[in-house]
Amino acid sequence: MKKQTRSEARDAAFTQVFQMNMHEDDMEVILDELLKARPECEANLGYIRSIIDGVGKHGEEIEELIAKNLKQGWSISRISKVSLSIMKMAIFEMKYMDDVPPKVAINEAVELAKRYGDDDDPNFINGLLGSVYKEIV
């Protein structure tokens, strides 16, 4: 089995954060399902778990940062679940993970948005995360 890259692990973490937002499932159930579907995630399970845990633990604070940086007239409820999950993950990485440079977290979020989001999502996410970055560094 080939070694999983950090980007691939981030992709896997995104799918789990998204699922957690949708179902409020138990973390162990979510991770078991992930490993059945993507056994290569085993090597990065610590990283994936720290993202899922961190987004869950700091979710409210992260959502406040997102809300504060939205354009006037926008609210979190208007953001797609995909975009919201991607941004929560990226903000968690920027703010709480010392081994992930903030610009890498932003670039990776934009790549996830290209893969999973709508056409406007990459630019929207890039802009919002850029604003959050200026605020938290």
Side-chain angles (χ1 to χ4, degrees):
M1 182 183 338
K2 85 174 186 68
K3 189 168 178 336
Q4 185 182 47
T5 66
R6 182 54 82 85
S7 289
E8 291 165 339
R10 189 175 281 106
D11 185 290
F14 158 72
T15 62
Q16 303 316 295
V17 168
F18 180 76
Q19 183 176 337
M20 195 173 68
N21 281 341
M22 300 301 286
H23 304 296
E24 298 296 323
D25 284 341
D26 176 75
M27 161 85 84
E28 297 310 317
V29 172
I30 288 172
L31 290 173
D32 285 347
E33 295 296 316
L34 172 67
L35 290 175
K36 282 181 197 144
R38 297 167 84 171
E40 70 277 8
C41 290
E42 182 80 49
N44 285 303
L45 208 52
Y47 166 75
I48 293 167
R49 183 185 293 270
S50 68
I51 287 188
I52 297 167
D53 278 344
V55 168
K57 182 177 170 191
H58 299 284
E60 264 181 51
E61 174 197 350
I62 291 169
E63 282 190 17
E64 284 171 20
L65 273 171
I66 293 170
K68 203 159 99 177
N69 285 280
L70 286 171
K71 289 185 182 137
Q72 196 165 2
W74 269 75
S75 67
I76 283 207
S77 61
R78 279 186 65 186
I79 302 171
S80 75
K81 297 285 187 229
V82 168
S83 290
L84 193 57
S85 296
I86 291 170
M87 290 189 293
K88 283 180 175 181
M89 219 168 82
I91 292 169
F92 173 74
E93 284 188 301
M94 289 192 298
K95 202 164 166 143
Y96 295 102
M97 295 189 80
D98 296 336
D99 66 333
V100 179
K103 290 192 177 359
V104 170
I106 293 171
N107 288 340
E108 291 284 338
V110 169
E111 289 306 311
L112 285 169
K114 288 177 184 173
R115 201 168 313 129
Y116 295 105
D118 295 329
D119 291 345
D120 298 335
D121 289 352
N123 287 338
F124 170 69
I125 287 172
N126 190 41
L128 190 128
L129 292 177
S131 297
V132 169
Y133 172 69
K134 287 180 192 140
E135 187 177 320
I136 64 177
V137 285

